[in-house]
Amino acid sequence: MNQAAIIPAHGADEQLLLKIDRREPVADGVVTLIMTSAGGGALPAWSPGAHIDLVLPNGVTRQYSLCGDPADRSRWRIGVLHAPASRGGSEYIHTQLRAGDALKASHPRNNFPLEPAGRYLFIAGGIGITPILPMLAQLSATNADWRLLYGGRSARSMAFVEEIARLAGGVVDICPEDENGLLDLDACLSGHEPGRLVYCCGPEPLIEAVEDRCRSWPAGALRKERFSPSERHAPLDPGEFDVELARSGQRVRVPADQSMLSALEDAGCTITNSCRAGICGTCLVKVLAGIPEHNDDILSDQQREAGEVVLPCVSRSRTATLVLDL
Amino acid sequence: MLDTKKVRGGNGLASIEAEVDEILQSVEEITHDATKSFFDKYSENPNQLVLASWLETRCWREIDYVFLLNEQIRRYGMRFQRNHITLLAKQSFQEAEHYEALGKAVESLGGIVPTSVPVAAVPWSNFLWECMERHHLAAIAAWYVSETSASGSFAPTYVGAERHGHMDVVKIYKQIEIDEKFHTGLGRQVLSTYAETDEDRDEILRAMRGMRDIAWKSFTPEVVAATMRAA
């Protein structure tokens, strides 16, 4: 199979040249773009939850979730809401882009992967349905146990409803706010259910409401993807990062398949620890720079938000480098 | 210092959280006082065999936890998430390390490492195993209290043992103290994750109240003296 047209660069910065094959309205204020490789070859593989950086002809770069079929390497699909306060992303796509136009895009990255679980609850608000849609399709194909709670301002504004209705299995609650009010989160998030993963994507108030109800749950039980990650919360690609030891200046590379604690130990650091599972808090280390990705079960929400300490046994980094007081 | 009572889990203990925390606080305090009382008495006549006898019950607790945790996994493990099975097994491994380390300390003091339940540890051990028989969370609730009681003993143990030059004892308990934070955090997480019904919560409270009344007693100088007289 031919490969997609590539704009030479370095490693992960390598860009793909795409062409808009179709542009279709799918709900009030929502269009989909079907994109193919400008060179006609196969596009890179991706998995449900993945997104791409789209570089628009006006120079603006925006992130969009892929919402088509991962098995179809000939095309990618994204859904774009015309945001009222658009600063050149969705406004440009809705008013300027046409079939045949060329775009540049990054390789797909997935910070919101679908993990194995016994049961799933998906909570989508508005255009937040896009990363969840391919997850539902995958789970339906495997007869998995899933439920979707999908809210939007009105039925006309909610994209992909008919496509969701065609999926086999699962329980779907479509909740237009003008008919049913806000999503009944209390009913479906009344307690942590072992074996169930909750995925949430939508506007910030929805994510905060879901987070509020899941605060005491074990780390990892709630997976969420925000529409507009701020610079502070911008997630890195899953994978390696560097730790800088402030006292010696030494840099330690943490590979994707190794814990930070283990990498630091391999580099000669001695860090008191016990559980190596994010429960005891013994390996607590001060963070001097960078943004930790907390995966422990013991730091408070305030400590997580402050980002001043980290448990290297299970946690990682959202920034390329994490500077620790070691 | 992070508080393992705040570990994330489910909401299973929410309705009884106040009493759970009160039990933990009280058992920690009373064990602290009992340990201090022991070392105060020990200072009057620092006979190493007395310290060895005191450590023997501590030592037995470690190996009894090994038996108990493995039985917990065998009987009830399939009710738990796999990561909790791993963590319970990891705790069991650490308890075995503590038994080995404390055994060396007991021997260095001229004592005998227990291979059956010491008299002073019988009520404690019997209660733990009775809890195991009753309910899938009861033994965990009991050792959660027992492990927390040990937390109260660390500070006076360091002071008392250091005063008499028993630095090996101090070193061993420094490591045990680190691991106890994991064990108490795990206990809390397992209970809060799997407690679902009022019956579950009743059994948890029954086990915790019972262990609160037992756990500290073998730390007292009186129990050690009685044990030595019996020997």
Side-chain angles (χ1 to χ4, degrees), chain A residues 73-88:
Chain A
R73 300 278 299 276
S74 69
R75 69 196 67 219
W76 284 347
R77 181 175 71 163
I78 60 171
V80 182
L81 170 70
H82 192 173
S86 172
R87 290 170 291 117

Side-chain angles (χ1 to χ4, degrees), chain B residues 6-218:
Chain B
K6 305 294 185 193
V7 73
R8 288 164 196 262
N11 303 322
L13 297 181
S15 62
I16 58 171
E17 200 166 64
E19 183 173 357
V20 166
D21 289 343
E22 187 278 330
I23 290 170
L24 296 173
Q25 185 179 343
S26 67
V27 80
E28 193 168 342
E29 288 171 359
I30 198 166
T31 307
H32 173 278
D33 294 346
T35 306
K36 183 173 183 307
S37 168
F38 168 79
F39 277 104
D40 288 346
K41 191 75 177 174
Y42 180 72
S43 291
E44 294 172 7
N45 179 22
N47 177 351
Q48 288 194 356
L49 288 177
V50 173
L51 181 57
S53 179
W54 187 78
L55 287 174
E56 283 166 18
T57 53
R58 311 275 80 70
C59 195
W60 179 259
R61 285 192 181 194
E62 307 295 346
I63 195 64
D64 221 354
Y65 284 140
V66 175
F67 302 150
L68 188 91
L69 287 160
N70 285 285
E71 184 63 13
Q72 177 80 36
I73 294 169
R74 189 188 71 79
R75 283 198 200 188
Y76 306 120
M78 293 303 108
R79 295 175 180 225
F80 300 156
Q81 298 165 38
R82 289 192 295 276
N83 69 309
H84 281 140
I85 297 174
T86 304
L87 292 170
L88 289 167
K90 184 167 192 167
Q91 179 183 349
S92 170
F93 176 79
Q94 291 181 343
E95 306 289 11
E97 287 183 320
H98 300 168
Y99 176 67
E100 182 183 0
L102 276 174
K104 287 176 183 168
V106 168
E107 286 177 335
S108 74
L109 294 166
I112 298 171
V113 180
T115 53
S116 60
V117 192
V119 173
V122 167
W124 174 89
S125 182
N126 285 350
F127 184 74
L128 265 187
W129 287 96
E130 179 200 322
C131 288
M132 175 68 74
E133 294 292 335
R134 286 180 63 96
H135 188 270
H136 64 286
L137 297 175
I140 291 176
W143 67 243
Y144 179 32
V145 173
S146 181
E147 291 279 74
T148 304
S149 81
S151 302
S153 74
F154 293 135
T157 297
Y158 298 147
V159 172
E162 192 170 343
R163 185 187 304 149
H164 299 285
H166 301 303
M167 298 314 294
D168 52 341
V169 174
V170 173
K171 185 178 175 186
I172 290 165
Y173 271 105
K174 290 278 186 187
Q175 180 59 49
I176 291 177
E177 181 179 16
I178 291 167
D179 294 339
E180 299 292 359
K181 295 190 79 60
F182 160 38
H183 304 167
T184 54
L186 177 60
R188 184 72 171 225
Q189 185 170 74
V190 168
L191 294 176
S192 62
T193 300
Y194 301 107
E196 293 177 350
T197 66
D198 288 341
E199 184 202 347
D200 293 340
R201 284 179 277 275
D202 288 345
E203 285 291 338
I204 287 169
L205 282 178
R206 178 194 172 277
M208 294 185 79
R209 291 172 189 141
M211 184 52 80
R212 173 193 54 196
D213 297 338
I214 294 170
W216 59 277
K217 288 185 178 167
S218 61

Side-chain angles (χ1 to χ4, degrees), chain A residues 67-143:
Chain A
C67 60
D69 177 4
D72 183 355
R73 300 278 299 276
S74 69
R75 69 196 67 219
W76 284 347
R77 181 175 71 163
I78 60 171
V80 182
L81 170 70
H82 192 173
S86 172
R87 290 170 291 117
S90 70
E91 168 75 12
Y92 189 89
I93 290 173
H94 274 258
T95 61
Q96 304 295 320
L97 282 186
R98 296 288 179 266
D101 286 350
L103 298 168
K104 287 182 281 188
S106 69
H107 281 251
R109 290 174 288 178
N110 199 338
N111 301 317
F112 193 47
L114 183 63
E115 304 284 359
R119 297 182 309 287
Y120 298 88
L121 171 64
F122 297 95
I123 301 173
I127 199 65
I129 191 65
T130 49
I132 289 173
L133 193 58
M135 297 183 185
L136 302 181
Q138 178 179 313
L139 295 174
S140 293
T142 56
N143 295 316

Side-chain angles (χ1 to χ4, degrees), chain A residues 190-192 194 215-218 272-277 279-282 284 297-301 303-304, chain B residues 2-11 81 87 90 94 175 178-179 181-183 185-186 189 193-194 196:
Chain A
S190 59
H192 169 60
R215 282 200 194 289
S216 65
W217 293 14
T272 305
N273 68 87
S274 182
C275 71
R276 302 176 84 95
I279 291 176
C280 69
T282 307
L284 189 78
D297 283 338
I298 184 111
L299 292 182
S300 67
D301 291 333
Q303 287 169 315
R304 287 176 179 223
Chain B
L2 300 174
D3 183 357
T4 58
K5 290 197 287 296
K6 305 294 185 193
V7 73
R8 288 164 196 262
N11 303 322
Q81 298 165 38
L87 292 170
K90 184 167 192 167
Q94 291 181 343
Q175 180 59 49
I178 291 167
D179 294 339
K181 295 190 79 60
F182 160 38
H183 304 167
L186 177 60
Q189 185 170 74
T193 300
Y194 301 107
E196 293 177 350

